[in-house]
Amino acid sequence: QVQVVESGGGLVQAGGSLRLSCSVSELNLDYYSMGWFRQAPGKDREGVACIGWKGGITYYVDSVKGRFTLSRDNAKSTLYLQMDSLKPEDTATYYCAAEPHRGLRACIPSRYTSWGQGTQVTVSS
């Protein structure tokens, strides 16, 4: 397993933006799939956006398409999630996860084994 550390959460008004960062201890992420997941109180953890690092193929859950964007920095082994047009229903703890995998792995929490501690995102109405 690799170490995963998230940052960038916070409190924002509806319509605002936040950028989450996820740093990973692995220097070469070419054969990793990584993703952002979120869990709201009383709800199951869900996959928000995932990426196959080398090829850059992405997946976004329907509820965030057109609003959230993944990007990555190879030199820093860091994955970013740009979140725009935030809605109150985006409020959750956001987790980053990584899994050795050729290409994009299914964006399902059980498919990932290295997790960060989570960062809180709160969107006020």
Side-chain angles (χ1 to χ4, degrees), residues 44-57:
D44 292 336
R45 191 170 299 189
E46 67 168 344
V48 175
C50 293
I51 184 169
W53 191 271
K54 186 175 183 179
I57 296 175

Side-chain angles (χ1 to χ4, degrees), residues 13-24:
Q13 289 187 334
S17 297
L18 283 173
R19 188 177 79 156
L20 304 183
S21 299
C22 172
S23 297
V24 182

Side-chain angles (χ1 to χ4, degrees), residues 78-110:
T78 299
L79 179 69
Y80 302 99
L81 182 66
Q82 178 66 41
M83 305 187 295
D84 298 320
S85 303
L86 282 161
K87 304 176 180 179
E89 51 263 45
D90 294 318
T91 295
T93 300
Y94 283 70
Y95 298 89
C96 182
E99 182 67 21
H101 188 75
R102 289 179 180 266
L104 173 63
R105 191 165 178 82
C107 205
I108 300 172
S110 61

Side-chain angles (χ1 to χ4, degrees), residues 22-29 34 53 73-79:
C22 172
S23 297
V24 182
S25 60
E26 174 64 45
L27 293 179
N28 185 351
L29 292 171
M34 293 185 62
W53 191 271
D73 185 328
N74 281 322
K76 296 181 179 180
S77 294
T78 299
L79 179 69

